[in-house]
Amino acid sequence: KQEVTQIPAALSVPEGENLVLNCSFTDSAIYNLQWFRQDPGKGLTSLLLIQSSQREQTSGRLNASLDKSSGRSTLYIAASQPGDSATYLCVAKLVFGAGTILRVKS
Amino acid sequence: DTGVSQDPRHKITKRGQNVTFRCDPISEHNRLYWYRQTLGQGPEFLTYFQNEAQLEKSRLLSDRFSAERPKGSFSTLEIQRTEQGDSAMYLCASSPPGHDTGELFFGEGSRLTVL
């Protein structure tokens, strides 16, 4: 049974910092891994989808990496902004982690 | 192009009443998923349809929960005899045809409050 863990559970950083969010999964037989952002009371907005054959995906200031063999993915956010404040979630084989709550202070 | 649509967005009901949520997926997507999310937690998988067939159902889905997708388009999630513990956000997602799950696209969710 797939289990997904996200570390840290919460993170508070000053504006402009680069940061890394971690996602680990127990079942490495995945086709893909997807990262989402969720604002309070809202649905999930897709950020990046990494196919199992890929090692990285980039979109603007976001970069996600995937290491299937070690069961890990990281989401790197460059030059963080207050508008990046949200909960970040990863999903593998339909199983979500509990998320990382990010607060970027201006 | 419309995204995944869910209705109603908010529902307040009394304990013991039945409620039904509707999800309209992105038109060319043949896969549809229901999740439940409580405060501070990640979404929990409930069930999954490919076209009209319900292929997977979580043990979280008690006998009071039923989901349908009769024509392979929209889906409904019904909760009978609601309990206070059913209060949550119910999220629907869809994904395009393919050999794997594919990219998930979520709706804005239906928030249920059971008094």
Side-chain angles (χ1 to χ4, degrees), chain B residues 81-102:
Chain B
R81 304 182 304 282
T82 52
E83 302 172 356
Q84 287 185 326
D86 297 331
S87 296
M89 175 81 90
Y90 290 84
L91 294 162
C92 177
S94 68
S95 67
H99 68 280
D100 58 53
T101 305

Side-chain angles (χ1 to χ4, degrees), chain B residues 13-80:
Chain B
T13 192
K14 292 182 180 179
R15 190 175 53 188
Q17 298 294 305
N18 299 342
V19 296
T20 299
F21 301 112
R22 175 178 169 129
C23 173
D24 287 88
I26 294 171
S27 58
E28 63 268 25
H29 288 184
N30 67 333
R31 296 176 180 179
L32 187 147
Y33 313 82
W34 285 100
Y35 282 83
R36 179 173 68 188
Q37 187 178 29
T38 53
L39 199 62
Q41 301 297 316
E44 296 174 294
F45 173 81
L46 293 178
T47 191
Y48 154 54
F49 290 87
Q50 183 165 305
N51 300 312
E52 65 275 10
Q54 188 173 20
L55 296 186
E56 198 172 334
K57 194 173 168 181
S58 165
R59 285 173 292 179
L60 293 173
L61 219 60
S62 75
D63 292 345
R64 297 184 297 105
F65 288 70
S66 62
E68 293 183 342
R69 195 182 184 200
K71 296 183 181 179
S73 57
F74 72 91
S75 175
T76 58
L77 177 68
E78 181 183 17
I79 308 173
Q80 296 183 326

Side-chain angles (χ1 to χ4, degrees), chain A residues 35-106:
Chain A
W35 283 92
F36 289 89
R37 167 193 175 128
Q38 186 175 34
D39 294 294
K42 302 291 188 181
L44 279 66
T45 301
S46 181
L47 297 173
L48 289 164
L49 174 76
I50 314 176
Q51 301 291 350
S52 60
S53 57
Q54 299 174 316
R55 294 190 64 85
E56 282 191 7
Q57 272 287 357
T58 298
S59 176
R61 295 182 293 108
L62 305 180
N63 176 276
S65 67
L66 176 63
D67 184 343
K68 273 184 57 176
S69 61
S70 66
R72 292 181 187 174
S73 177
T74 60
L75 179 67
Y76 175 83
I77 302 177
S80 58
Q81 302 171 358
D84 295 331
S85 298
T87 298
Y88 290 80
L89 295 151
C90 64
V91 58
K93 291 185 83 168
L94 300 181
V95 178
F96 277 86
T100 294
I101 302 171
L102 173 64
R103 181 184 171 213
V104 181
K105 298 172 287 186
S106 57

